[in-house]
Amino acid sequence: MERFFESKPVVYMSKFIDMIMLNVIFLISCIPVFTIGAAWTAMYYTCVKVIRRDRGKVWQEYKHSFVVNFKAATGVWVILAVAEGVLAVLTFRLLVHGHGSLSAAVIGLAMAGFLFTLAMMIYAFAVLSRFTVNAKGTIQNAVFISIHHGGETVYMLVLTLGLATLIMMGWKFLPVILLIMPSAYMLLISLIMEKILIQYTPEEEEVTSDDAGIDPEDMLYAEEHKDKPWYLEGGDKNE
């Protein structure tokens, strides 16, 4: 019986059920809208810790991250969501009403700003899930990392926009997509993101991020561990 529960099909099915459960919790958490930042942070945290590292339970870990990071995540979400909304509206209005070379240049700048803000969102909530940092520090770190790791940033933007396009094309199956896509997307993002975050995560309790160009006061451990922390498993700082 023990071998049955340890078999790969059973393990994969258990992971799939955990992902469905995580998606349901995430979607419910996003209903108030202003909580999307905390929900996004908790989703990433739970995907990596529970789904990928087999540590803890979905609900307990999600709730822990949601509560701990709620204030900072909400601040980051409000700032970036407003900026993204303004840039989206500006781009749309220029596309509809703009004419001439000047409008084309402004449209290009607005679209670039929109994509960069989206990249900051992708990084910000992942950073917040891993480190204790305020809203200002999170945004500063997101800007630095998104620029410093430009190649990875492009990959994650392409992945994000590609999945968004698939969702719009398959809107008739939206309920099914929403039950599967959020955690699947976050897992794909984490495959790239974890190789980046590991470079800024010291193995010792003392934080030394001078070489990374990040203020140590802005990036600290979120948890204390006597043994090797779960987020250092399976990662290589030289990757």
Side-chain angles (χ1 to χ4, degrees):
M1 183 64 70
E2 184 177 349
R3 289 184 177 180
F4 172 77
F5 286 109
E6 292 179 352
S7 64
K8 286 188 177 181
V10 174
V11 171
Y12 290 150
M13 180 60 66
S14 177
K15 293 284 187 184
F16 181 74
I17 293 173
D18 283 344
M19 289 173 66
I20 298 297
M21 184 188 307
L22 180 56
N23 289 335
V24 172
I25 297 172
F26 171 74
L27 293 172
I28 293 174
S29 302
C30 291
I31 291 175
V33 180
F34 73 90
T35 58
I36 291 177
W40 192 335
T41 303
M43 166 68 89
Y44 183 87
Y45 179 88
T46 308
C47 269
V48 177
K49 186 173 184 179
V50 179
I51 306 300
R52 289 190 59 186
R53 308 297 187 207
D54 292 313
R55 297 294 188 91
K57 303 295 183 181
V58 169
W59 168 245
Q60 287 86 342
E61 299 302 336
Y62 186 94
K63 179 181 177 182
H64 166 75
S65 179
F66 188 93
V67 172
V68 169
N69 298 302
F70 181 81
K71 182 178 180 180
T74 301
V76 172
W77 166 249
V78 170
I79 292 171
L80 295 183
V82 169
E84 197 80 322
V86 170
L87 289 167
V89 171
L90 176 61
T91 302
F92 177 77
R93 289 180 64 87
L94 287 172
L95 286 172
V96 174
H97 303 291
H99 301 283
S101 58
L102 180 59
S103 294
V106 175
I107 290 172
L109 289 174
M111 293 181 66
F114 179 88
L115 292 175
F116 186 71
T117 304
L118 178 60
M120 288 171 60
M121 279 187 176
I122 295 171
Y123 280 107
F125 299 115
V127 167
L128 195 56
S129 75
R130 184 62 46 80
F131 306 99
T132 300
V133 57
N134 58 27
K136 178 183 177 182
T138 300
I139 293 175
Q140 289 176 338
N141 289 325
V143 171
F144 171 81
I145 298 175
S146 61
I147 295 174
H148 189 67
H149 298 273
E152 291 89 341
T153 299
V154 172
Y155 292 150
M156 287 189 284
L157 281 174
V158 170
L159 175 61
T160 301
L161 295 174
L163 291 178
T165 302
L166 288 176
I167 290 174
M168 288 187 290
M169 292 174 62
W171 63 270
K172 292 183 179 179
F173 307 99
L174 188 60
V176 176
I177 292 174
L178 291 178
L179 281 177
I180 300 174
M181 188 64 74
S183 58
Y185 163 76
M186 205 62 73
L187 282 174
L188 291 173
I189 287 292
S190 74
L191 295 176
I192 304 173
M193 186 69 71
E194 286 302 297
K195 293 182 180 181
I196 297 173
L197 295 183
I198 196 71
Q199 299 178 40
Y200 303 97
T201 307
E203 295 187 18
E204 302 298 329
E205 187 171 291
E206 180 182 358
V207 177
T208 56
S209 56
D210 293 337
D211 294 338
I214 301 176
D215 188 346
E217 295 183 356
D218 286 339
M219 188 171 279
L220 305 173
Y221 275 130
E223 301 177 358
E224 294 180 358
H225 301 269
K226 293 181 180 180
D227 300 323
K228 188 175 182 179
W230 60 266
Y231 44 78
L232 292 178
E233 295 177 355
D236 186 352
K237 291 189 178 185
N238 296 321
E239 289 181 341

